[in-house]
Amino acid sequence: MNPINRRHAIALLAGTTLVTLLPSALMAAALTPAPAKITVHKTPWCGCCTGWSAHLRDAGFDVTELKHDDLAPIKARLGVPVALESCHTAEVGGYAIEGHVPAADIIKLLADRPKALGLA
């Protein structure tokens, strides 16, 4: 038998590492959820809504912005109380998001799935 030289030892170590780590990497990829799709309804003249959308994108959300001259019908359809109305309304996972709700709170909402209309 030939003794194992450095090249063989490195190849053996690399192969062992690959076989050990590959299933973990594949499992992690399979368990990583797809980015949540969120639709932001905003007026064409509001700049803060665009900033909030950027915040959501930075947190991994798949953001679609829709511009409307009147948000009242959308807010009414989603059941947003007048006292909680803000300059924009979003829809994600069956919930209404009103105003500048932090992305972390939306992520928690989607993970916990409480019986609620949404967050404001």
Side-chain angles (χ1 to χ4, degrees):
M1 270 179 98
N2 294 339
I4 296 178
N5 63 29
R6 185 186 307 177
R7 186 177 297 147
H8 290 122
I10 291 171
L12 181 63
L13 180 60
T16 302
T17 302
L18 181 62
V19 168
T20 303
L21 296 179
L22 187 58
S24 298
L26 291 174
M27 182 67 87
L31 295 176
T32 302
K37 294 179 187 266
I38 188 165
T39 302
V40 177
H41 302 279
K42 63 182 272 312
T43 57
W45 48 85
C46 186
C48 75
C49 305
T50 303
W52 184 67
S53 291
H55 164 70
L56 295 175
R57 283 188 190 92
D58 290 345
F61 284 90
D62 179 5
V63 180
T64 300
E65 283 189 359
L66 299 178
K67 295 177 183 173
H68 310 273
D69 288 332
D70 183 9
L71 296 175
I74 293 161
K75 293 173 188 299
R77 175 176 58 82
L78 295 173
V80 176
V82 173
L84 298 178
E85 287 184 1
S86 180
C87 58
H88 58 263
T89 303
E91 297 179 75
V92 61
Y95 293 104
I97 307 296
E98 189 67 17
H100 293 241
V101 175
D105 292 342
I106 299 170
I107 291 167
K108 182 168 177 22
L109 173 76
L110 295 174
D112 294 348
R113 306 290 307 166
K115 185 176 180 179
L117 292 177
L119 295 174

